[in-house]
Short mmCIF file of all heavy atoms in Angstrom, two decimals:
data_model
loop_
_atom_site.label_atom_id
_atom_site.label_comp_id
_atom_site.label_asym_id
_atom_site.label_seq_id
_atom_site.Cartn_x
_atom_site.Cartn_y
_atom_site.Cartn_z
N MET T 9 61.84 -62.64 60.30
CA MET T 9 63.15 -63.06 59.86
C MET T 9 63.45 -64.45 60.44
O MET T 9 63.22 -64.69 61.61
CB MET T 9 64.20 -62.05 60.34
CG MET T 9 65.62 -62.45 60.00
SD MET T 9 66.85 -61.29 60.60
CE MET T 9 66.72 -60.03 59.36
N GLN T 10 63.93 -65.34 59.60
CA GLN T 10 64.23 -66.69 60.07
C GLN T 10 65.51 -66.71 60.90
O GLN T 10 66.43 -65.92 60.66
CB GLN T 10 64.32 -67.65 58.89
CG GLN T 10 65.47 -67.37 57.94
CD GLN T 10 65.40 -68.18 56.67
OE1 GLN T 10 65.70 -67.64 55.65
NE2 GLN T 10 65.02 -69.42 56.70
N PRO T 11 65.58 -67.58 61.90
CA PRO T 11 66.79 -67.67 62.73
C PRO T 11 68.01 -68.05 61.90
O PRO T 11 67.92 -68.86 60.97
CB PRO T 11 66.45 -68.78 63.72
CG PRO T 11 64.96 -68.83 63.76
CD PRO T 11 64.53 -68.47 62.38
N ARG T 12 69.16 -67.47 62.26
CA ARG T 12 70.43 -67.73 61.58
C ARG T 12 71.29 -68.64 62.46
O ARG T 12 71.48 -68.36 63.64
CB ARG T 12 71.19 -66.43 61.32
CG ARG T 12 70.45 -65.51 60.38
CD ARG T 12 71.29 -64.30 60.02
NE ARG T 12 72.31 -64.73 59.07
CZ ARG T 12 73.57 -64.36 59.11
NH1 ARG T 12 74.01 -63.57 60.06
NH2 ARG T 12 74.43 -64.78 58.22
N ILE T 13 71.82 -69.68 61.86
CA ILE T 13 72.64 -70.64 62.59
C ILE T 13 73.99 -70.77 61.91
O ILE T 13 74.08 -70.92 60.69
CB ILE T 13 71.95 -72.01 62.67
CG1 ILE T 13 70.62 -71.88 63.39
CG2 ILE T 13 72.86 -73.04 63.36
CD1 ILE T 13 69.81 -73.16 63.43
N LEU T 14 75.05 -70.72 62.71
CA LEU T 14 76.41 -70.96 62.23
C LEU T 14 76.79 -72.38 62.63
O LEU T 14 76.76 -72.73 63.81
CB LEU T 14 77.38 -69.95 62.84
CG LEU T 14 78.86 -70.15 62.52
CD1 LEU T 14 79.11 -70.04 61.02
CD2 LEU T 14 79.70 -69.15 63.30
N VAL T 15 77.13 -73.20 61.64
CA VAL T 15 77.56 -74.57 61.88
C VAL T 15 79.07 -74.63 61.69
O VAL T 15 79.59 -74.24 60.64
CB VAL T 15 76.87 -75.56 60.91
CG1 VAL T 15 77.43 -76.96 61.07
CG2 VAL T 15 75.36 -75.54 61.13
N VAL T 16 79.77 -75.11 62.72
CA VAL T 16 81.23 -75.22 62.68
C VAL T 16 81.56 -76.69 62.91
O VAL T 16 81.33 -77.22 64.00
CB VAL T 16 81.91 -74.36 63.76
CG1 VAL T 16 83.43 -74.40 63.59
CG2 VAL T 16 81.37 -72.95 63.77
N ASN T 17 82.10 -77.34 61.88
CA ASN T 17 82.46 -78.74 62.01
C ASN T 17 83.53 -79.07 60.99
O ASN T 17 83.41 -78.70 59.82
CB ASN T 17 81.23 -79.64 61.82
CG ASN T 17 81.48 -81.04 62.30
OD1 ASN T 17 82.32 -81.75 61.76
ND2 ASN T 17 80.75 -81.44 63.32
N ASP T 18 84.57 -79.78 61.41
CA ASP T 18 85.69 -80.09 60.52
C ASP T 18 85.44 -81.29 59.63
O ASP T 18 86.23 -81.58 58.74
CB ASP T 18 86.97 -80.29 61.33
CG ASP T 18 86.84 -81.36 62.40
OD1 ASP T 18 85.71 -81.70 62.76
OD2 ASP T 18 87.89 -81.82 62.89
N GLU T 19 84.34 -81.99 59.81
CA GLU T 19 83.99 -83.14 58.98
C GLU T 19 83.03 -82.69 57.88
O GLU T 19 81.88 -82.35 58.16
CB GLU T 19 83.30 -84.22 59.83
CG GLU T 19 84.15 -84.75 60.95
CD GLU T 19 85.07 -85.87 60.50
OE1 GLU T 19 84.81 -86.44 59.42
OE2 GLU T 19 86.03 -86.13 61.22
N PRO T 20 83.48 -82.67 56.61
CA PRO T 20 82.63 -82.17 55.52
C PRO T 20 81.26 -82.86 55.42
O PRO T 20 80.25 -82.19 55.20
CB PRO T 20 83.46 -82.42 54.26
CG PRO T 20 84.86 -82.49 54.75
CD PRO T 20 84.81 -83.07 56.13
N MET T 21 81.22 -84.17 55.59
CA MET T 21 79.94 -84.88 55.46
C MET T 21 79.00 -84.54 56.63
O MET T 21 77.80 -84.37 56.43
CB MET T 21 80.16 -86.38 55.37
CG MET T 21 80.82 -86.79 54.06
SD MET T 21 81.10 -88.56 53.91
CE MET T 21 79.42 -89.16 53.84
N VAL T 22 79.55 -84.42 57.82
CA VAL T 22 78.73 -84.06 58.99
C VAL T 22 78.21 -82.65 58.83
O VAL T 22 77.04 -82.36 59.07
CB VAL T 22 79.54 -84.21 60.30
CG1 VAL T 22 78.77 -83.67 61.48
CG2 VAL T 22 79.94 -85.66 60.51
N ARG T 23 79.09 -81.76 58.40
CA ARG T 23 78.72 -80.36 58.19
C ARG T 23 77.59 -80.26 57.16
O ARG T 23 76.62 -79.55 57.36
CB ARG T 23 79.95 -79.56 57.76
CG ARG T 23 79.78 -78.08 57.82
CD ARG T 23 81.09 -77.33 57.62
NE ARG T 23 81.76 -77.63 56.38
CZ ARG T 23 82.94 -78.26 56.27
NH1 ARG T 23 83.57 -78.67 57.35
NH2 ARG T 23 83.48 -78.48 55.10
N ALA T 24 77.72 -81.00 56.06
CA ALA T 24 76.70 -80.98 55.01
C ALA T 24 75.37 -81.54 55.51
O ALA T 24 74.30 -81.01 55.18
CB ALA T 24 77.18 -81.77 53.80
N LEU T 25 75.42 -82.60 56.30
CA LEU T 25 74.20 -83.20 56.84
C LEU T 25 73.48 -82.23 57.78
O LEU T 25 72.27 -82.02 57.66
CB LEU T 25 74.51 -84.50 57.57
CG LEU T 25 73.34 -85.17 58.27
CD1 LEU T 25 72.28 -85.59 57.25
CD2 LEU T 25 73.80 -86.37 59.08
N ILE T 26 74.23 -81.63 58.69
CA ILE T 26 73.63 -80.67 59.62
C ILE T 26 73.04 -79.49 58.84
O ILE T 26 71.92 -79.05 59.11
CB ILE T 26 74.66 -80.18 60.66
CG1 ILE T 26 75.10 -81.34 61.56
CG2 ILE T 26 74.09 -79.04 61.49
CD1 ILE T 26 76.29 -81.01 62.44
N ASN T 27 73.78 -79.01 57.88
CA ASN T 27 73.32 -77.90 57.05
C ASN T 27 72.01 -78.26 56.36
O ASN T 27 71.05 -77.47 56.38
CB ASN T 27 74.39 -77.55 56.01
CG ASN T 27 74.10 -76.29 55.26
OD1 ASN T 27 72.97 -75.88 55.12
ND2 ASN T 27 75.15 -75.67 54.74
N ARG T 28 71.93 -79.44 55.78
CA ARG T 28 70.72 -79.84 55.05
C ARG T 28 69.52 -79.97 55.97
O ARG T 28 68.42 -79.49 55.65
CB ARG T 28 70.96 -81.16 54.33
CG ARG T 28 69.76 -81.59 53.53
CD ARG T 28 70.03 -82.80 52.72
NE ARG T 28 68.80 -83.17 52.01
CZ ARG T 28 68.71 -84.17 51.20
NH1 ARG T 28 69.76 -84.91 50.96
NH2 ARG T 28 67.57 -84.44 50.61
N VAL T 29 69.70 -80.61 57.12
CA VAL T 29 68.60 -80.79 58.06
C VAL T 29 68.07 -79.43 58.53
O VAL T 29 66.86 -79.19 58.54
CB VAL T 29 69.02 -81.66 59.26
CG1 VAL T 29 67.99 -81.63 60.37
CG2 VAL T 29 69.29 -83.09 58.81
N LEU T 30 68.98 -78.54 58.92
CA LEU T 30 68.56 -77.23 59.42
C LEU T 30 67.92 -76.38 58.33
O LEU T 30 66.92 -75.69 58.57
CB LEU T 30 69.74 -76.51 60.06
CG LEU T 30 70.29 -77.14 61.34
CD1 LEU T 30 71.56 -76.43 61.79
CD2 LEU T 30 69.24 -77.13 62.45
N THR T 31 68.47 -76.43 57.13
CA THR T 31 67.90 -75.69 56.00
C THR T 31 66.50 -76.21 55.67
O THR T 31 65.58 -75.42 55.44
CB THR T 31 68.82 -75.78 54.77
OG1 THR T 31 70.11 -75.25 55.11
CG2 THR T 31 68.25 -75.00 53.60
N ASP T 32 66.34 -77.53 55.68
CA ASP T 32 65.03 -78.12 55.42
C ASP T 32 63.99 -77.71 56.47
O ASP T 32 62.80 -77.65 56.18
CB ASP T 32 65.11 -79.65 55.37
CG ASP T 32 65.78 -80.17 54.11
OD1 ASP T 32 66.03 -79.36 53.18
OD2 ASP T 32 66.07 -81.39 54.05
N GLU T 33 64.46 -77.40 57.68
CA GLU T 33 63.57 -76.96 58.75
C GLU T 33 63.29 -75.46 58.70
O GLU T 33 62.57 -74.91 59.54
CB GLU T 33 64.14 -77.33 60.12
CG GLU T 33 64.11 -78.83 60.39
CD GLU T 33 62.70 -79.39 60.45
OE1 GLU T 33 61.80 -78.72 61.02
OE2 GLU T 33 62.48 -80.49 59.89
N GLY T 34 63.90 -74.77 57.73
CA GLY T 34 63.61 -73.36 57.53
C GLY T 34 64.60 -72.37 58.12
O GLY T 34 64.35 -71.17 58.10
N TYR T 35 65.71 -72.87 58.62
CA TYR T 35 66.71 -71.98 59.20
C TYR T 35 67.65 -71.47 58.10
O TYR T 35 67.90 -72.15 57.11
CB TYR T 35 67.54 -72.70 60.26
CG TYR T 35 66.73 -73.15 61.44
CD1 TYR T 35 66.35 -74.48 61.59
CD2 TYR T 35 66.32 -72.23 62.41
CE1 TYR T 35 65.59 -74.89 62.67
CE2 TYR T 35 65.56 -72.64 63.49
CZ TYR T 35 65.20 -73.97 63.62
OH TYR T 35 64.45 -74.37 64.68
N GLU T 36 68.19 -70.29 58.32
CA GLU T 36 69.26 -69.79 57.47
C GLU T 36 70.56 -70.31 58.07
O GLU T 36 70.85 -70.07 59.24
CB GLU T 36 69.26 -68.26 57.45
CG GLU T 36 70.36 -67.68 56.60
CD GLU T 36 70.41 -66.16 56.65
OE1 GLU T 36 69.44 -65.54 57.09
OE2 GLU T 36 71.44 -65.62 56.25
N VAL T 37 71.35 -71.02 57.28
CA VAL T 37 72.53 -71.70 57.80
C VAL T 37 73.78 -71.24 57.06
O VAL T 37 73.80 -71.15 55.84
CB VAL T 37 72.40 -73.23 57.66
CG1 VAL T 37 73.63 -73.93 58.22
CG2 VAL T 37 71.14 -73.72 58.35
N VAL T 38 74.82 -70.96 57.84
CA VAL T 38 76.15 -70.70 57.31
C VAL T 38 77.03 -71.79 57.90
O VAL T 38 77.01 -72.02 59.11
CB VAL T 38 76.68 -69.31 57.72
CG1 VAL T 38 78.11 -69.12 57.30
CG2 VAL T 38 75.79 -68.22 57.15
N SER T 39 77.80 -72.49 57.06
CA SER T 39 78.64 -73.59 57.51
C SER T 39 80.10 -73.28 57.24
O SER T 39 80.45 -72.83 56.15
CB SER T 39 78.28 -74.89 56.79
OG SER T 39 76.96 -75.26 57.07
N VAL T 40 80.94 -73.54 58.24
CA VAL T 40 82.39 -73.36 58.09
C VAL T 40 83.10 -74.56 58.69
O VAL T 40 82.53 -75.31 59.48
CB VAL T 40 82.87 -72.05 58.76
CG1 VAL T 40 82.26 -70.84 58.08
CG2 VAL T 40 82.57 -72.04 60.24
N ALA T 41 84.38 -74.73 58.33
CA ALA T 41 85.12 -75.93 58.69
C ALA T 41 85.96 -75.81 59.95
O ALA T 41 86.38 -76.83 60.49
CB ALA T 41 86.03 -76.34 57.53
N ASP T 42 86.22 -74.60 60.43
CA ASP T 42 87.11 -74.49 61.59
C ASP T 42 86.83 -73.23 62.40
O ASP T 42 86.05 -72.37 61.99
CB ASP T 42 88.58 -74.56 61.18
CG ASP T 42 88.97 -73.47 60.19
OD1 ASP T 42 88.60 -72.29 60.39
OD2 ASP T 42 89.66 -73.79 59.21
N GLY T 43 87.48 -73.16 63.53
CA GLY T 43 87.27 -72.05 64.45
C GLY T 43 87.64 -70.70 63.87
O GLY T 43 86.95 -69.70 64.10
N GLN T 44 88.73 -70.64 63.12
CA GLN T 44 89.14 -69.37 62.53
C GLN T 44 88.09 -68.85 61.55
O GLN T 44 87.74 -67.67 61.56
CB GLN T 44 90.50 -69.51 61.82
CG GLN T 44 91.03 -68.19 61.29
CD GLN T 44 91.24 -67.15 62.37
OE1 GLN T 44 91.76 -67.44 63.44
NE2 GLN T 44 90.84 -65.92 62.10
N ALA T 45 87.56 -69.75 60.72
CA ALA T 45 86.51 -69.36 59.78
C ALA T 45 85.25 -68.93 60.53
O ALA T 45 84.54 -68.02 60.09
CB ALA T 45 86.21 -70.50 58.82
N ALA T 46 84.98 -69.57 61.66
CA ALA T 46 83.81 -69.19 62.47
C ALA T 46 83.97 -67.78 63.02
O ALA T 46 83.02 -67.00 62.98
CB ALA T 46 83.62 -70.19 63.61
N ILE T 47 85.15 -67.47 63.52
CA ILE T 47 85.41 -66.13 64.04
C ILE T 47 85.22 -65.10 62.93
O ILE T 47 84.59 -64.06 63.13
CB ILE T 47 86.82 -66.04 64.66
CG1 ILE T 47 86.86 -66.88 65.94
CG2 ILE T 47 87.22 -64.60 64.92
CD1 ILE T 47 88.26 -67.09 66.49
N GLU T 48 85.74 -65.39 61.76
CA GLU T 48 85.60 -64.47 60.63
C GLU T 48 84.14 -64.32 60.22
O GLU T 48 83.70 -63.21 59.91
CB GLU T 48 86.44 -64.96 59.45
CG GLU T 48 87.93 -64.88 59.72
CD GLU T 48 88.77 -65.57 58.66
OE1 GLU T 48 88.23 -65.97 57.60
OE2 GLU T 48 89.98 -65.73 58.90
N ALA T 49 83.38 -65.41 60.25
CA ALA T 49 81.96 -65.35 59.90
C ALA T 49 81.19 -64.50 60.89
O ALA T 49 80.33 -63.70 60.51
CB ALA T 49 81.37 -66.76 59.83
N VAL T 50 81.49 -64.65 62.17
CA VAL T 50 80.80 -63.87 63.20
C VAL T 50 81.16 -62.40 63.08
O VAL T 50 80.29 -61.53 63.12
CB VAL T 50 81.13 -64.42 64.61
CG1 VAL T 50 80.65 -63.47 65.69
CG2 VAL T 50 80.51 -65.80 64.80
N ARG T 51 82.44 -62.12 62.93
CA ARG T 51 82.88 -60.73 62.83
C ARG T 51 82.36 -60.05 61.58
O ARG T 51 82.07 -58.86 61.58
CB ARG T 51 84.40 -60.66 62.86
CG ARG T 51 84.97 -60.91 64.22
CD ARG T 51 86.46 -60.74 64.24
NE ARG T 51 86.98 -60.94 65.60
CZ ARG T 51 88.22 -61.27 65.87
NH1 ARG T 51 89.09 -61.44 64.89
NH2 ARG T 51 88.60 -61.43 67.11
N GLY T 52 82.23 -60.81 60.48
CA GLY T 52 81.80 -60.23 59.22
C GLY T 52 80.30 -60.25 58.99
O GLY T 52 79.82 -59.77 57.97
N ALA T 53 79.56 -60.78 59.94
CA ALA T 53 78.12 -60.92 59.75
C ALA T 53 77.41 -59.58 59.87
O ALA T 53 77.60 -58.85 60.83
CB ALA T 53 77.55 -61.90 60.78
N GLU T 54 76.60 -59.26 58.86
CA GLU T 54 75.79 -58.05 58.93
C GLU T 54 74.62 -58.25 59.88
O GLU T 54 74.17 -57.31 60.52
CB GLU T 54 75.29 -57.68 57.53
CG GLU T 54 76.40 -57.24 56.60
CD GLU T 54 75.89 -56.86 55.23
OE1 GLU T 54 74.69 -56.54 55.10
OE2 GLU T 54 76.69 -56.88 54.29
N VAL T 55 74.13 -59.48 59.95
CA VAL T 55 73.05 -59.85 60.88
C VAL T 55 73.64 -60.91 61.81
O VAL T 55 74.22 -61.88 61.34
CB VAL T 55 71.84 -60.43 60.11
CG1 VAL T 55 70.76 -60.88 61.08
CG2 VAL T 55 71.30 -59.41 59.12
N PRO T 56 73.51 -60.74 63.12
CA PRO T 56 74.13 -61.69 64.04
C PRO T 56 73.50 -63.08 63.95
O PRO T 56 72.34 -63.23 63.54
CB PRO T 56 73.89 -61.08 65.42
CG PRO T 56 72.76 -60.14 65.25
CD PRO T 56 72.79 -59.68 63.82
N PHE T 57 74.27 -64.08 64.36
CA PHE T 57 73.76 -65.45 64.42
C PHE T 57 72.96 -65.62 65.70
O PHE T 57 73.29 -65.06 66.73
CB PHE T 57 74.92 -66.45 64.38
CG PHE T 57 75.62 -66.48 63.06
CD1 PHE T 57 76.79 -65.76 62.86
CD2 PHE T 57 75.11 -67.21 62.01
CE1 PHE T 57 77.44 -65.77 61.65
CE2 PHE T 57 75.74 -67.24 60.78
CZ PHE T 57 76.91 -66.51 60.60
N ASP T 58 71.92 -66.45 65.61
CA ASP T 58 71.10 -66.76 66.77
C ASP T 58 71.66 -67.95 67.55
O ASP T 58 71.41 -68.10 68.74
CB ASP T 58 69.67 -67.07 66.34
CG ASP T 58 69.03 -65.87 65.67
OD1 ASP T 58 68.84 -64.86 66.35
OD2 ASP T 58 68.75 -65.95 64.46
N LEU T 59 72.43 -68.80 66.84
CA LEU T 59 72.93 -70.03 67.45
C LEU T 59 74.18 -70.48 66.72
O LEU T 59 74.28 -70.31 65.50
CB LEU T 59 71.86 -71.12 67.35
CG LEU T 59 72.18 -72.50 67.88
CD1 LEU T 59 72.28 -72.48 69.41
CD2 LEU T 59 71.12 -73.51 67.43
N VAL T 60 75.12 -71.05 67.46
CA VAL T 60 76.30 -71.68 66.86
C VAL T 60 76.26 -73.15 67.25
O VAL T 60 76.13 -73.48 68.43
CB VAL T 60 77.61 -71.03 67.36
CG1 VAL T 60 78.82 -71.78 66.80
CG2 VAL T 60 77.67 -69.56 66.98
N VAL T 61 76.38 -74.02 66.24
CA VAL T 61 76.42 -75.47 66.47
C VAL T 61 77.82 -75.94 66.10
O VAL T 61 78.28 -75.72 64.98
CB VAL T 61 75.38 -76.21 65.60
CG1 VAL T 61 75.50 -77.71 65.79
CG2 VAL T 61 73.98 -75.73 65.93
N THR T 62 78.52 -76.58 67.06
CA THR T 62 79.87 -77.04 66.80
C THR T 62 80.15 -78.31 67.59
O THR T 62 79.48 -78.60 68.57
CB THR T 62 80.90 -75.95 67.16
OG1 THR T 62 82.21 -76.39 66.80
CG2 THR T 62 80.88 -75.63 68.64
N ASN T 63 81.14 -79.05 67.12
CA ASN T 63 81.60 -80.15 67.93
C ASN T 63 82.58 -79.57 68.96
O ASN T 63 83.16 -78.51 68.75
CB ASN T 63 82.22 -81.28 67.10
CG ASN T 63 83.26 -80.82 66.11
OD1 ASN T 63 83.35 -79.65 65.78
ND2 ASN T 63 84.05 -81.74 65.62
N ILE T 64 82.74 -80.24 70.07
CA ILE T 64 83.57 -79.70 71.15
C ILE T 64 85.03 -79.60 70.75
O ILE T 64 85.70 -78.64 71.05
CB ILE T 64 83.43 -80.55 72.43
CG1 ILE T 64 82.01 -80.41 72.97
CG2 ILE T 64 84.44 -80.14 73.49
CD1 ILE T 64 81.71 -81.31 74.14
N LEU T 65 85.51 -80.59 70.05
CA LEU T 65 86.93 -80.64 69.71
C LEU T 65 87.09 -80.77 68.21
O LEU T 65 86.59 -81.71 67.60
CB LEU T 65 87.58 -81.85 70.40
CG LEU T 65 89.04 -82.09 70.12
CD1 LEU T 65 89.87 -80.94 70.71
CD2 LEU T 65 89.49 -83.40 70.72
N GLN T 66 87.78 -79.82 67.61
CA GLN T 66 88.09 -79.90 66.20
C GLN T 66 89.38 -80.69 66.05
O GLN T 66 90.34 -80.48 66.77
CB GLN T 66 88.29 -78.49 65.62
CG GLN T 66 87.10 -77.58 65.77
CD GLN T 66 86.01 -77.90 64.77
OE1 GLN T 66 86.27 -78.17 63.60
NE2 GLN T 66 84.79 -77.87 65.22
N VAL T 67 89.44 -81.62 65.11
CA VAL T 67 90.61 -82.49 64.93
C VAL T 67 91.88 -81.67 64.75
O VAL T 67 92.92 -81.98 65.32
CB VAL T 67 90.39 -83.44 63.74
CG1 VAL T 67 91.67 -84.21 63.42
CG2 VAL T 67 89.26 -84.41 64.04
N ASP T 68 91.82 -80.59 63.99
CA ASP T 68 93.00 -79.77 63.75
C ASP T 68 93.51 -79.09 65.01
O ASP T 68 94.64 -78.62 65.06
CB ASP T 68 92.72 -78.71 62.69
CG ASP T 68 92.51 -79.33 61.31
OD1 ASP T 68 92.92 -80.48 61.12
OD2 ASP T 68 91.94 -78.66 60.45
N ASP T 69 92.67 -79.00 66.04
CA ASP T 69 93.05 -78.35 67.28
C ASP T 69 93.77 -79.29 68.24
O ASP T 69 94.24 -78.87 69.29
CB ASP T 69 91.83 -77.78 68.00
CG ASP T 69 91.17 -76.66 67.19
OD1 ASP T 69 91.88 -76.04 66.37
OD2 ASP T 69 89.98 -76.42 67.38
N LEU T 70 93.86 -80.58 67.90
CA LEU T 70 94.52 -81.54 68.80
C LEU T 70 96.01 -81.24 68.90
O LEU T 70 96.67 -80.97 67.89
CB LEU T 70 94.34 -82.98 68.29
CG LEU T 70 92.95 -83.57 68.42
CD1 LEU T 70 92.92 -84.94 67.72
CD2 LEU T 70 92.58 -83.76 69.88
N PRO T 71 96.57 -81.29 70.11
CA PRO T 71 98.01 -81.05 70.26
C PRO T 71 98.85 -82.14 69.61
O PRO T 71 100.04 -81.98 69.43
CB PRO T 71 98.21 -81.02 71.77
CG PRO T 71 97.04 -81.71 72.35
CD PRO T 71 95.91 -81.53 71.37
N THR T 72 98.24 -83.24 69.21
CA THR T 72 98.96 -84.34 68.57
C THR T 72 99.00 -84.19 67.06
O THR T 72 99.34 -85.13 66.35
CB THR T 72 98.28 -85.68 68.93
OG1 THR T 72 96.92 -85.63 68.50
CG2 THR T 72 98.35 -85.96 70.40
N GLY T 73 98.63 -83.02 66.55
CA GLY T 73 98.68 -82.78 65.12
C GLY T 73 97.58 -83.46 64.34
O GLY T 73 97.75 -83.81 63.19
N GLY T 74 96.44 -83.66 64.97
CA GLY T 74 95.31 -84.26 64.29
C GLY T 74 95.12 -85.73 64.57
O GLY T 74 94.19 -86.34 64.09
N ARG T 75 96.01 -86.32 65.36
CA ARG T 75 95.88 -87.73 65.71
C ARG T 75 95.27 -87.84 67.09
O ARG T 75 95.78 -87.29 68.06
CB ARG T 75 97.25 -88.42 65.71
CG ARG T 75 97.83 -88.55 64.32
CD ARG T 75 99.28 -89.01 64.36
NE ARG T 75 100.09 -87.84 64.71
CZ ARG T 75 100.89 -87.77 65.78
NH1 ARG T 75 101.04 -88.78 66.58
NH2 ARG T 75 101.56 -86.68 66.05
N SER T 76 94.18 -88.54 67.21
CA SER T 76 93.53 -88.72 68.50
C SER T 76 94.32 -89.68 69.36
O SER T 76 94.86 -90.67 68.88
CB SER T 76 92.11 -89.27 68.31
OG SER T 76 91.54 -89.55 69.56
N THR T 77 94.43 -89.37 70.64
CA THR T 77 95.13 -90.26 71.57
C THR T 77 94.16 -91.20 72.24
O THR T 77 94.55 -92.04 73.02
CB THR T 77 95.86 -89.42 72.65
OG1 THR T 77 94.89 -88.64 73.33
CG2 THR T 77 96.91 -88.53 72.04
N GLY T 78 92.86 -91.02 71.95
CA GLY T 78 91.85 -91.87 72.54
C GLY T 78 91.39 -91.42 73.91
O GLY T 78 90.44 -91.92 74.46
N GLY T 79 92.05 -90.46 74.49
CA GLY T 79 91.68 -89.95 75.81
C GLY T 79 91.03 -88.61 75.72
O GLY T 79 91.07 -87.94 74.69
N SER T 80 90.41 -88.19 76.79
CA SER T 80 89.77 -86.90 76.84
C SER T 80 90.76 -85.84 77.27
O SER T 80 91.58 -86.08 78.16
CB SER T 80 88.60 -86.95 77.83
OG SER T 80 88.07 -85.65 78.00
N ILE T 81 90.71 -84.68 76.63
CA ILE T 81 91.58 -83.58 77.07
C ILE T 81 90.79 -82.60 77.94
O ILE T 81 91.34 -81.62 78.38
CB ILE T 81 92.22 -82.85 75.88
CG1 ILE T 81 91.16 -82.17 75.01
CG2 ILE T 81 93.08 -83.79 75.08
CD1 ILE T 81 91.72 -81.21 74.01
N LEU T 82 89.51 -82.89 78.14
CA LEU T 82 88.67 -82.02 78.96
C LEU T 82 88.58 -82.57 80.38
O LEU T 82 88.32 -83.75 80.56
CB LEU T 82 87.26 -81.90 78.36
CG LEU T 82 87.18 -81.33 76.96
CD1 LEU T 82 85.74 -81.43 76.47
CD2 LEU T 82 87.65 -79.91 76.93
N PRO T 83 88.80 -81.73 81.38
CA PRO T 83 88.64 -82.23 82.75
C PRO T 83 87.18 -82.55 83.01
O PRO T 83 86.28 -81.84 82.57
CB PRO T 83 89.12 -81.07 83.62
CG PRO T 83 89.03 -79.86 82.73
CD PRO T 83 89.16 -80.34 81.33
N VAL T 84 86.94 -83.62 83.73
CA VAL T 84 85.57 -84.04 84.03
C VAL T 84 85.33 -83.91 85.53
O VAL T 84 86.14 -84.22 86.33
CB VAL T 84 85.32 -85.48 83.58
CG1 VAL T 84 83.91 -85.92 83.93
CG2 VAL T 84 85.56 -85.61 82.10
#
Protein backbone atom coordinates (compact mmCIF):
# COMPACT_ATOMS: atom_id res chain seq x y z
CA MET A 1 0.00 0.00 0.00
CA GLN A 2 1.37 3.41 -0.93
CA PRO A 3 1.88 5.98 1.85
CA ARG A 4 -1.01 8.43 2.38
CA ILE A 5 -0.24 12.11 2.87
CA LEU A 6 -2.60 14.87 3.98
CA VAL A 7 -1.62 18.30 2.63
CA VAL A 8 -3.06 21.29 4.50
CA ASN A 9 -2.36 24.68 2.98
CA ASP A 10 -4.50 27.78 2.52
CA GLU A 11 -2.76 28.81 -0.72
CA PRO A 12 -4.47 27.02 -3.65
CA MET A 13 -1.43 27.20 -5.95
CA VAL A 14 0.96 25.95 -3.25
CA ARG A 15 -1.45 23.17 -2.33
CA ALA A 16 -1.75 22.12 -5.99
CA LEU A 17 2.03 22.15 -6.47
CA ILE A 18 2.68 20.03 -3.38
CA ASN A 19 -0.10 17.66 -4.42
CA ARG A 20 1.35 17.25 -7.92
CA VAL A 21 4.92 16.65 -6.75
CA LEU A 22 3.87 14.07 -4.16
CA THR A 23 1.45 12.33 -6.54
CA ASP A 24 4.16 12.16 -9.22
CA GLU A 25 6.41 10.47 -6.62
CA GLY A 26 3.77 7.79 -6.07
CA TYR A 27 2.11 8.94 -2.87
CA GLU A 28 -1.62 8.97 -2.29
CA VAL A 29 -2.43 12.60 -1.50
CA VAL A 30 -5.47 14.28 0.02
CA SER A 31 -5.37 18.10 -0.03
CA VAL A 32 -7.44 20.48 2.07
CA ALA A 33 -7.42 24.25 2.57
CA ASP A 34 -7.69 24.66 6.34
CA GLY A 35 -7.40 23.10 9.75
CA GLN A 36 -11.09 22.30 10.10
CA ALA A 37 -11.10 20.39 6.82
CA ALA A 38 -7.94 18.58 7.95
CA ILE A 39 -9.61 17.47 11.17
CA GLU A 40 -12.61 16.22 9.20
CA ALA A 41 -10.34 14.38 6.74
CA VAL A 42 -8.46 12.65 9.57
CA ARG A 43 -11.61 11.72 11.45
CA GLY A 44 -13.33 10.46 8.30
CA ALA A 45 -10.39 8.51 6.94
CA GLU A 46 -10.95 4.79 6.54
CA VAL A 47 -7.18 4.36 6.23
CA PRO A 48 -5.02 6.59 8.45
CA PHE A 49 -2.59 9.12 7.00
CA ASP A 50 1.12 8.41 7.26
CA LEU A 51 2.12 12.08 7.17
CA VAL A 52 0.57 15.54 7.37
CA VAL A 53 2.26 18.40 5.50
CA THR A 54 1.16 21.90 6.51
CA ASN A 55 2.39 25.41 6.81
CA ILE A 56 2.84 26.55 10.41
CA LEU A 57 0.42 29.44 10.21
CA GLN A 58 -2.75 29.51 8.17
CA VAL A 59 -3.68 33.07 7.08
CA ASP A 60 -7.27 32.62 8.25
CA ASP A 61 -5.97 31.78 11.73
CA LEU A 62 -4.31 35.18 12.20
CA PRO A 63 -5.85 37.24 15.01
CA THR A 64 -5.69 40.23 12.64
CA GLY A 65 -8.38 38.73 10.41
CA GLY A 66 -6.01 37.51 7.72
CA ARG A 67 -3.70 40.52 7.64
CA SER A 68 -0.10 39.79 8.51
CA THR A 69 1.53 42.15 10.99
CA GLY A 70 4.97 41.16 9.75
CA GLY A 71 5.99 39.79 13.13
CA SER A 72 6.16 36.29 14.48
CA ILE A 73 3.44 35.08 16.81
CA LEU A 74 5.51 32.06 17.82
CA PRO A 75 7.87 32.36 20.77
CA VAL A 76 11.46 31.68 19.79
